[in-house]
């Protein structure tokens, strides 16, 4: 089997949210597995002096329109949450905690947490909230809360963020396939073609 | 026949350049005509406090890579020009001058001028250069030079830029189809789907 696709995303990234519901079909078609890698886009933006798309004049308005249109196209429920953007430290730590036990559980958690935020308007900053979401999938709620205070998961999320930055990631979703980077939900079709043709 | 597609672009926009070679196939498939509308992205960026993509850290590097990859995919010659970006006042004025005589000639000129810049590395700032490019397509070279000094074409380009901004355009290419905006070469597939399905 060929190398997996690395998928970097932030729990508070709306295009990242849409990507979670699109990646399996593309990866499956080309018999690729996917490494789900949440990271902290806030740290990246701070480092690079970037601003969130929706905070920019004109682009912000357009992006909201494009997000709603894209969500309808892909059949994913979406309602721009308030407040936005938010830090996603708790969700990221819980993800890696679950990932160490069960990769599929961690993915289900990512989908559930992002759906809570982007479809149901639930604030996913509190550790209790993300732990409850994980609990709904069968995880131990208290263990999830503990993980958010655990130095090893603090370090893990920080290290994953640093690795992502070192590899050139600056957005969400950001994919790396056989060394080739694809940034954005709107480059997933091109990534699909790249996988189909083995590059060009 | 349904309403035309409005296509806003700047002569110094690399993704706009790629779009010129892709738009006919999409428009033709859906029996739409296209209004080619060069405008001055420099004025828009200044107004909005935006920066050119390639001037931004990380995004700049990625964008160059993505441009080269996209150009190869679409079979369009591309080599990032130096200096970049440049003001495109002369080319814009000549375009509208030609457009008043012959729409197809103006389109051929746009393709030729952008190919000169993005494939052959020719600086298209000087009015003489753009006039020569138009001359190569049968236009009157001196009349083109005169047009760049003509107040009515100065006003025309400025007004087109203002209209584009009033309609929400902030990038290149920027399309408006039946009131629906599509920003970027990487949204042309979605625009194609939109035309196919009549929205969703």
């Amino acid at each position: 089997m060929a190398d997996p696709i690395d998928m970097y995303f932030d729990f508070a990234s709306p295009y990242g949210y849409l990507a979670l519901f699109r990646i399996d079909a593309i990866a499956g078609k080309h018999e690729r597995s996917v490494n789900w890698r949440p990271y902290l886009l806030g740290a990246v933006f701070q480092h690079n002096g970037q601003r969130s798309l929706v905070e920019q004049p004109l682009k912000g308005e357009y992006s909201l329109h494009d997000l709603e249109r894209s969500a309808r196209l892909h059949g994913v429920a979406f309602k721009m949450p308030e407040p936005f953007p938010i830090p996603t430290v708790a969700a990221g730590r819980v993800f890696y905690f679950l990932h160490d036990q069960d990769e599929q559980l961690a993915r289900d958690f990512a989908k559930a947490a992002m759906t809570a935020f982007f479809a149901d308007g639930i604030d996913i900053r509190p550790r209790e909230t993300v732990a409850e979401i994980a609990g709904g999938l069968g995880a131990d709620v208290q263990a999830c809360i503990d993980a958010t205070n655990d130095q090893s998961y603090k370090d893990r999320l920080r290290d994953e963020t640093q690795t992502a930055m070192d590899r050139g990631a600056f957005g969400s979703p950001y994919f790396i396939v056989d060394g080739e980077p694809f940034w954005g939900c709107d480059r997933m079709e091109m990534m699909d073609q790249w996988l189909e043709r083995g590059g060009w």
Side-chain angles (χ1 to χ4, degrees), chain A:
Chain A
M1 195 161 176
D3 286 342
I5 298 167
D6 293 325
M7 177 174 69
Y8 291 101
F9 65 99
D10 183 289
F11 272 94
S13 158
Y15 286 113
Y17 164 62
L18 298 183
L20 298 197
F21 293 91
R22 300 185 59 201
I23 187 61
D24 285 348
I26 293 172
K29 201 164 123 187
H30 305 291
E31 299 182 347
R32 297 281 187 136
S33 60
V34 181
N35 289 328
W36 292 40
R37 287 288 176 271
Y39 75 131
L40 298 175
L41 209 52
V44 178
F45 278 19
Q46 198 163 17
H47 184 265
N48 300 334
Q50 292 169 245
R51 279 186 302 170
S52 168
L53 202 57
V54 298
E55 294 173 327
Q56 297 175 37
L58 291 174
K59 279 194 190 177
E61 256 180 85
Y62 172 86
S63 298
L64 182 56
H65 181 81
D66 184 65
L67 278 164
E68 290 170 346
R69 175 173 68 189
S70 299
R72 289 198 308 276
L73 175 63
H74 299 301
V76 179
F78 176 79
K79 190 177 174 301
M80 196 66 199
E82 275 290 343
F84 177 88
I86 57 168
T88 54
V89 176
R93 290 174 189 162
V94 168
F95 176 91
Y96 286 110
F97 168 68
L98 297 174
H99 196 267
D100 282 347
Q101 305 165 46
D102 178 344
E103 239 178 277
Q104 190 53 50
L105 176 62
R107 290 169 194 203
D108 292 343
F109 164 74
K111 284 186 180 177
M114 291 181 85
T115 299
F117 186 51
F118 285 113
D120 305 324
I122 295 167
D123 186 344
I124 56 166
R125 281 174 296 185
R127 61 189 80 214
E128 293 77 13
T129 305
V130 294
E132 285 295 342
I133 291 168
L137 299 166
D140 181 324
V141 173
Q142 189 56 50
C144 288
I145 291 176
D146 294 344
T148 65
N149 287 314
D150 187 326
Q151 190 60 44
S152 67
Y153 289 108
K154 291 181 183 180
D155 292 346
R156 176 70 176 280
L157 182 57
R158 202 198 48 223
D159 292 349
E160 292 284 357
T161 300
Q162 188 58 52
T163 300
M165 290 172 73
D166 292 345
R167 298 183 73 195
F170 54 82
S172 170
Y174 191 95
F175 303 92
I176 302 178
V177 183
D178 304 334
E180 187 73 13
F182 294 92
W183 168 41
C185 203
D186 52 9
R187 271 284 175 262
M188 292 181 79
E189 286 84 1
M190 189 184 274
M191 180 171 71
D192 187 8
Q193 286 184 66
W194 186 272
L195 285 161
E196 184 73 36
R197 297 164 55 172
W200 56 76

